[in-house]
PDB file of all heavy atoms in Angstrom:
ATOM      1  N   ASN A 206      51.611-156.961  13.402  1.00 97.00           N
ATOM      2  CA  ASN A 206      50.906-158.289  13.510  1.00 97.00           C
ATOM      3  C   ASN A 206      49.956-158.520  12.367  1.00 97.00           C
ATOM      4  O   ASN A 206      49.213-157.548  11.884  1.00 97.00           O
ATOM      5  CB  ASN A 206      49.961-158.317  14.833  1.00 97.00           C
ATOM      6  CG  ASN A 206      49.353-159.654  15.068  1.00 97.00           C
ATOM      7  OD1 ASN A 206      50.040-160.497  15.461  1.00 97.00           O
ATOM      8  ND2 ASN A 206      48.198-159.814  14.881  1.00 97.00           N
ATOM      9  N   ARG A 207      50.146-159.533  11.620  1.00 97.00           N
ATOM     10  CA  ARG A 207      49.396-159.837  10.386  1.00 97.00           C
ATOM     11  C   ARG A 207      48.409-160.970  10.600  1.00 97.00           C
ATOM     12  O   ARG A 207      48.790-162.274  10.919  1.00 97.00           O
ATOM     13  CB  ARG A 207      50.309-160.186   9.289  1.00 97.00           C
ATOM     14  CG  ARG A 207      50.973-158.968   8.668  1.00 97.00           C
ATOM     15  CD  ARG A 207      49.878-158.146   7.740  1.00 97.00           C
ATOM     16  NE  ARG A 207      50.349-156.708   7.605  1.00 97.00           N
ATOM     17  CZ  ARG A 207      49.933-155.646   8.521  1.00 97.00           C
ATOM     18  NH1 ARG A 207      49.325-155.942   9.675  1.00 97.00           N
ATOM     19  NH2 ARG A 207      50.450-154.517   8.298  1.00 97.00           N
ATOM     20  N   ILE A 208      47.187-160.701  10.588  1.00 98.00           N
ATOM     21  CA  ILE A 208      46.158-161.698  10.782  1.00 98.00           C
ATOM     22  C   ILE A 208      45.698-162.385   9.489  1.00 98.00           C
ATOM     23  O   ILE A 208      45.430-161.710   8.606  1.00 98.00           O
ATOM     24  CB  ILE A 208      44.925-161.127  11.618  1.00 98.00           C
ATOM     25  CG1 ILE A 208      45.294-160.733  12.997  1.00 98.00           C
ATOM     26  CG2 ILE A 208      43.773-162.107  11.628  1.00 98.00           C
ATOM     27  CD1 ILE A 208      44.263-160.339  13.949  1.00 98.00           C
ATOM     28  N   TYR A 209      45.637-163.721   9.600  1.00 98.00           N
ATOM     29  CA  TYR A 209      45.139-164.585   8.507  1.00 98.00           C
ATOM     30  C   TYR A 209      43.801-164.795   8.856  1.00 98.00           C
ATOM     31  O   TYR A 209      43.474-165.592   9.834  1.00 98.00           O
ATOM     32  CB  TYR A 209      46.076-165.830   8.420  1.00 98.00           C
ATOM     33  CG  TYR A 209      45.787-166.886   7.392  1.00 98.00           C
ATOM     34  CD1 TYR A 209      46.642-167.051   6.322  1.00 98.00           C
ATOM     35  CD2 TYR A 209      44.736-167.789   7.563  1.00 98.00           C
ATOM     36  CE1 TYR A 209      46.504-168.100   5.390  1.00 98.00           C
ATOM     37  CE2 TYR A 209      44.527-168.714   6.679  1.00 98.00           C
ATOM     38  CZ  TYR A 209      45.452-168.871   5.622  1.00 98.00           C
ATOM     39  OH  TYR A 209      45.170-169.956   4.726  1.00 98.00           O
ATOM     40  N   LYS A 210      42.913-164.266   7.985  1.00 98.00           N
ATOM     41  CA  LYS A 210      41.431-164.321   8.297  1.00 98.00           C
ATOM     42  C   LYS A 210      40.705-165.656   7.753  1.00 98.00           C
ATOM     43  O   LYS A 210      40.864-165.769   6.497  1.00 98.00           O
ATOM     44  CB  LYS A 210      40.759-163.100   7.731  1.00 98.00           C
ATOM     45  CG  LYS A 210      41.228-161.853   8.528  1.00 98.00           C
ATOM     46  CD  LYS A 210      40.613-160.574   7.846  1.00 98.00           C
ATOM     47  CE  LYS A 210      41.260-159.308   8.255  1.00 98.00           C
ATOM     48  NZ  LYS A 210      40.784-158.088   7.631  1.00 98.00           N
ATOM     49  N   ILE A 211      40.170-166.351   8.530  1.00 98.00           N
ATOM     50  CA  ILE A 211      39.500-167.597   8.099  1.00 98.00           C
ATOM     51  C   ILE A 211      37.996-167.411   8.122  1.00 98.00           C
ATOM     52  O   ILE A 211      37.355-167.143   9.264  1.00 98.00           O
ATOM     53  CB  ILE A 211      40.006-168.767   8.991  1.00 98.00           C
ATOM     54  CG1 ILE A 211      41.492-168.890   8.818  1.00 98.00           C
ATOM     55  CG2 ILE A 211      39.290-170.138   8.572  1.00 98.00           C
ATOM     56  CD1 ILE A 211      42.110-169.872   9.775  1.00 98.00           C
ATOM     57  N   ALA A 212      37.290-167.584   7.054  1.00 98.00           N
ATOM     58  CA  ALA A 212      35.967-167.507   6.973  1.00 98.00           C
ATOM     59  C   ALA A 212      35.258-168.879   7.330  1.00 98.00           C
ATOM     60  O   ALA A 212      35.706-169.951   7.031  1.00 98.00           O
ATOM     61  CB  ALA A 212      35.353-167.100   5.636  1.00 98.00           C
ATOM     62  N   GLY A 213      34.114-168.847   7.947  1.00 98.00           N
ATOM     63  CA  GLY A 213      33.422-170.070   8.440  1.00 98.00           C
ATOM     64  C   GLY A 213      32.902-170.710   7.048  1.00 98.00           C
ATOM     65  O   GLY A 213      32.274-170.114   6.316  1.00 98.00           O
ATOM     66  N   GLY A 214      33.300-172.078   6.972  1.00 98.00           N
ATOM     67  CA  GLY A 214      33.124-172.690   5.696  1.00 98.00           C
ATOM     68  C   GLY A 214      31.900-173.728   5.765  1.00 98.00           C
ATOM     69  O   GLY A 214      31.157-173.760   6.792  1.00 98.00           O
ATOM     70  N   ALA A 215      32.007-174.672   4.817  1.00 98.00           N
ATOM     71  CA  ALA A 215      30.923-175.588   4.563  1.00 98.00           C
ATOM     72  C   ALA A 215      30.844-176.731   5.493  1.00 98.00           C
ATOM     73  O   ALA A 215      31.817-177.146   6.199  1.00 98.00           O
ATOM     74  CB  ALA A 215      31.036-176.092   3.195  1.00 98.00           C
ATOM     75  N   ASN A 216      29.666-177.372   5.642  1.00 97.00           N
ATOM     76  CA  ASN A 216      29.471-178.572   6.352  1.00 97.00           C
ATOM     77  C   ASN A 216      29.576-179.598   5.265  1.00 97.00           C
ATOM     78  O   ASN A 216      28.801-179.640   4.368  1.00 97.00           O
ATOM     79  CB  ASN A 216      28.062-178.609   7.003  1.00 97.00           C
ATOM     80  CG  ASN A 216      27.782-179.908   7.792  1.00 97.00           C
ATOM     81  OD1 ASN A 216      28.759-180.355   8.315  1.00 97.00           O
ATOM     82  ND2 ASN A 216      26.594-180.232   7.850  1.00 97.00           N
ATOM     83  N   VAL A 217      30.447-180.555   5.401  1.00 98.00           N
ATOM     84  CA  VAL A 217      30.654-181.752   4.626  1.00 98.00           C
ATOM     85  C   VAL A 217      30.670-181.363   3.039  1.00 98.00           C
ATOM     86  O   VAL A 217      31.413-180.715   2.579  1.00 98.00           O
ATOM     87  CB  VAL A 217      29.588-182.755   5.074  1.00 98.00           C
ATOM     88  CG1 VAL A 217      29.953-184.032   4.368  1.00 98.00           C
ATOM     89  CG2 VAL A 217      29.560-182.923   6.568  1.00 98.00           C
ATOM     90  N   ASP A 218      29.413-181.650   2.371  1.00 98.00           N
ATOM     91  CA  ASP A 218      29.383-181.538   0.933  1.00 98.00           C
ATOM     92  C   ASP A 218      28.384-180.475   0.543  1.00 98.00           C
ATOM     93  O   ASP A 218      27.797-180.435  -0.480  1.00 98.00           O
ATOM     94  CB  ASP A 218      28.900-182.846   0.369  1.00 98.00           C
ATOM     95  CG  ASP A 218      27.555-183.489   0.893  1.00 98.00           C
ATOM     96  OD1 ASP A 218      26.932-182.699   1.771  1.00 98.00           O
ATOM     97  OD2 ASP A 218      27.076-184.367   0.467  1.00 98.00           O
ATOM     98  N   ASP A 219      28.320-179.421   1.393  1.00 98.00           N
ATOM     99  CA  ASP A 219      27.519-178.262   1.022  1.00 98.00           C
ATOM    100  C   ASP A 219      28.346-177.390   0.113  1.00 98.00           C
ATOM    101  O   ASP A 219      28.927-176.385   0.416  1.00 98.00           O
ATOM    102  CB  ASP A 219      27.093-177.457   2.336  1.00 98.00           C
ATOM    103  CG  ASP A 219      26.150-176.272   1.965  1.00 98.00           C
ATOM    104  OD1 ASP A 219      25.969-176.133   0.873  1.00 98.00           O
ATOM    105  OD2 ASP A 219      25.658-175.649   2.964  1.00 98.00           O
ATOM    106  N   TYR A 220      28.393-177.767  -1.229  1.00 98.00           N
ATOM    107  CA  TYR A 220      29.236-177.107  -2.084  1.00 98.00           C
ATOM    108  C   TYR A 220      28.709-175.671  -2.396  1.00 98.00           C
ATOM    109  O   TYR A 220      29.458-174.885  -2.829  1.00 98.00           O
ATOM    110  CB  TYR A 220      29.394-177.890  -3.422  1.00 98.00           C
ATOM    111  CG  TYR A 220      29.999-179.289  -3.022  1.00 98.00           C
ATOM    112  CD1 TYR A 220      29.233-180.366  -3.219  1.00 98.00           C
ATOM    113  CD2 TYR A 220      31.246-179.349  -2.705  1.00 98.00           C
ATOM    114  CE1 TYR A 220      29.815-181.678  -2.981  1.00 98.00           C
ATOM    115  CE2 TYR A 220      31.779-180.604  -2.382  1.00 98.00           C
ATOM    116  CZ  TYR A 220      31.049-181.735  -2.530  1.00 98.00           C
ATOM    117  OH  TYR A 220      31.616-182.918  -2.228  1.00 98.00           O
ATOM    118  N   ARG A 221      27.317-175.541  -2.269  1.00 98.00           N
ATOM    119  CA  ARG A 221      26.712-174.196  -2.498  1.00 98.00           C
ATOM    120  C   ARG A 221      27.317-173.123  -1.564  1.00 98.00           C
ATOM    121  O   ARG A 221      27.633-172.085  -1.929  1.00 98.00           O
ATOM    122  CB  ARG A 221      25.273-174.330  -2.434  1.00 98.00           C
ATOM    123  CG  ARG A 221      24.604-173.021  -2.792  1.00 98.00           C
ATOM    124  CD  ARG A 221      23.098-173.019  -3.155  1.00 98.00           C
ATOM    125  NE  ARG A 221      22.638-171.805  -3.345  1.00 98.00           N
ATOM    126  CZ  ARG A 221      22.343-170.865  -2.321  1.00 98.00           C
ATOM    127  NH1 ARG A 221      22.287-171.321  -1.028  1.00 98.00           N
ATOM    128  NH2 ARG A 221      22.043-169.657  -2.572  1.00 98.00           N
ATOM    129  N   TRP A 222      27.492-173.609  -0.241  1.00 98.00           N
ATOM    130  CA  TRP A 222      28.133-172.578   0.719  1.00 98.00           C
ATOM    131  C   TRP A 222      29.402-172.210   0.223  1.00 98.00           C
ATOM    132  O   TRP A 222      29.656-170.957   0.215  1.00 98.00           O
ATOM    133  CB  TRP A 222      28.263-173.373   1.952  1.00 98.00           C
ATOM    134  CG  TRP A 222      28.657-172.547   3.091  1.00 98.00           C
ATOM    135  CD1 TRP A 222      30.075-172.050   3.360  1.00 98.00           C
ATOM    136  CD2 TRP A 222      27.911-171.852   4.212  1.00 98.00           C
ATOM    137  NE1 TRP A 222      30.061-171.282   4.451  1.00 98.00           N
ATOM    138  CE2 TRP A 222      28.719-171.140   4.910  1.00 98.00           C
ATOM    139  CE3 TRP A 222      26.563-171.860   4.432  1.00 98.00           C
ATOM    140  CZ2 TRP A 222      28.365-170.324   6.032  1.00 98.00           C
ATOM    141  CZ3 TRP A 222      26.094-171.074   5.589  1.00 98.00           C
ATOM    142  CH2 TRP A 222      26.914-170.262   6.328  1.00 98.00           C
ATOM    143  N   THR A 223      30.241-173.044  -0.195  1.00 98.00           N
ATOM    144  CA  THR A 223      31.622-172.682  -0.683  1.00 98.00           C
ATOM    145  C   THR A 223      31.590-171.647  -1.883  1.00 98.00           C
ATOM    146  O   THR A 223      32.255-170.658  -1.969  1.00 98.00           O
ATOM    147  CB  THR A 223      32.443-173.989  -1.108  1.00 98.00           C
ATOM    148  OG1 THR A 223      32.681-174.630   0.164  1.00 98.00           O
ATOM    149  CG2 THR A 223      33.869-173.641  -1.624  1.00 98.00           C
ATOM    150  N   GLU A 224      30.644-172.017  -2.779  1.00 98.00           N
ATOM    151  CA  GLU A 224      30.503-171.101  -3.997  1.00 98.00           C
ATOM    152  C   GLU A 224      30.036-169.775  -3.610  1.00 98.00           C
ATOM    153  O   GLU A 224      30.636-168.832  -4.148  1.00 98.00           O
ATOM    154  CB  GLU A 224      29.494-171.943  -4.839  1.00 98.00           C
ATOM    155  CG  GLU A 224      29.478-171.346  -6.354  1.00 98.00           C
ATOM    156  CD  GLU A 224      28.772-169.987  -6.643  1.00 98.00           C
ATOM    157  OE1 GLU A 224      27.787-169.773  -6.065  1.00 98.00           O
ATOM    158  OE2 GLU A 224      29.368-169.181  -7.385  1.00 98.00           O
ATOM    159  N   VAL A 225      29.130-169.690  -2.695  1.00 98.00           N
ATOM    160  CA  VAL A 225      28.558-168.410  -2.334  1.00 98.00           C
ATOM    161  C   VAL A 225      29.605-167.567  -1.652  1.00 98.00           C
ATOM    162  O   VAL A 225      29.961-166.361  -1.875  1.00 98.00           O
ATOM    163  CB  VAL A 225      27.332-168.455  -1.564  1.00 98.00           C
ATOM    164  CG1 VAL A 225      26.891-166.976  -0.988  1.00 98.00           C
ATOM    165  CG2 VAL A 225      26.162-169.089  -2.332  1.00 98.00           C
ATOM    166  N   LEU A 226      30.291-168.236  -0.779  1.00 98.00           N
ATOM    167  CA  LEU A 226      31.358-167.524   0.054  1.00 98.00           C
ATOM    168  C   LEU A 226      32.518-166.991  -0.812  1.00 98.00           C
ATOM    169  O   LEU A 226      33.001-165.949  -0.683  1.00 98.00           O
ATOM    170  CB  LEU A 226      31.883-168.494   1.126  1.00 98.00           C
ATOM    171  CG  LEU A 226      31.303-168.358   2.579  1.00 98.00           C
ATOM    172  CD1 LEU A 226      31.734-167.039   3.231  1.00 98.00           C
ATOM    173  CD2 LEU A 226      29.845-168.428   2.537  1.00 98.00           C
ATOM    174  N   MET A 227      32.947-167.936  -1.771  1.00 98.00           N
ATOM    175  CA  MET A 227      34.026-167.577  -2.629  1.00 98.00           C
ATOM    176  C   MET A 227      33.666-166.338  -3.532  1.00 98.00           C
ATOM    177  O   MET A 227      34.350-165.395  -3.717  1.00 98.00           O
ATOM    178  CB  MET A 227      34.638-168.699  -3.525  1.00 98.00           C
ATOM    179  CG  MET A 227      35.267-169.745  -2.615  1.00 98.00           C
ATOM    180  SD  MET A 227      36.736-169.188  -1.854  1.00 98.00           S
ATOM    181  CE  MET A 227      37.808-168.644  -3.114  1.00 98.00           C
ATOM    182  N   ARG A 228      32.452-166.460  -4.040  1.00 98.00           N
ATOM    183  CA  ARG A 228      31.870-165.413  -5.014  1.00 98.00           C
ATOM    184  C   ARG A 228      31.724-164.088  -4.280  1.00 98.00           C
ATOM    185  O   ARG A 228      32.134-163.075  -4.775  1.00 98.00           O
ATOM    186  CB  ARG A 228      30.639-165.874  -5.584  1.00 98.00           C
ATOM    187  CG  ARG A 228      29.949-164.886  -6.534  1.00 98.00           C
ATOM    188  CD  ARG A 228      28.863-165.571  -7.408  1.00 98.00           C
ATOM    189  NE  ARG A 228      28.083-166.439  -6.858  1.00 98.00           N
ATOM    190  CZ  ARG A 228      26.973-166.190  -6.143  1.00 98.00           C
ATOM    191  NH1 ARG A 228      26.655-164.910  -6.056  1.00 98.00           N
ATOM    192  NH2 ARG A 228      26.184-167.094  -5.566  1.00 98.00           N
ATOM    193  N   LYS A 229      31.124-164.169  -3.042  1.00 98.00           N
ATOM    194  CA  LYS A 229      30.804-162.805  -2.369  1.00 98.00           C
ATOM    195  C   LYS A 229      31.911-162.344  -1.475  1.00 98.00           C
ATOM    196  O   LYS A 229      31.941-161.108  -1.278  1.00 98.00           O
ATOM    197  CB  LYS A 229      29.490-162.987  -1.565  1.00 98.00           C
ATOM    198  CG  LYS A 229      28.259-163.370  -2.420  1.00 98.00           C
ATOM    199  CD  LYS A 229      27.043-163.206  -1.626  1.00 98.00           C
ATOM    200  CE  LYS A 229      26.648-161.918  -1.258  1.00 98.00           C
ATOM    201  NZ  LYS A 229      25.251-161.660  -0.962  1.00 98.00           N
ATOM    202  N   ALA A 230      32.803-163.125  -1.104  1.00 98.00           N
ATOM    203  CA  ALA A 230      33.830-162.692  -0.106  1.00 98.00           C
ATOM    204  C   ALA A 230      35.205-163.220  -0.282  1.00 98.00           C
ATOM    205  O   ALA A 230      36.082-162.918   0.627  1.00 98.00           O
ATOM    206  CB  ALA A 230      33.258-162.924   1.248  1.00 98.00           C
TER     207      ALA A 230
END
Side-chain angles (χ1 to χ4, degrees):
N206 190 70
R207 281 288 156 272
I208 291 187
Y209 178 105
K210 298 175 187 174
I211 300 172
N216 183 31
V217 192
D218 56 358
D219 183 354
Y220 300 112
R221 186 165 175 275
W222 184 281
T223 296
E224 197 281 323
V225 173
L226 263 290
M227 288 303 292
R228 175 161 45 82
K229 294 189 72 154

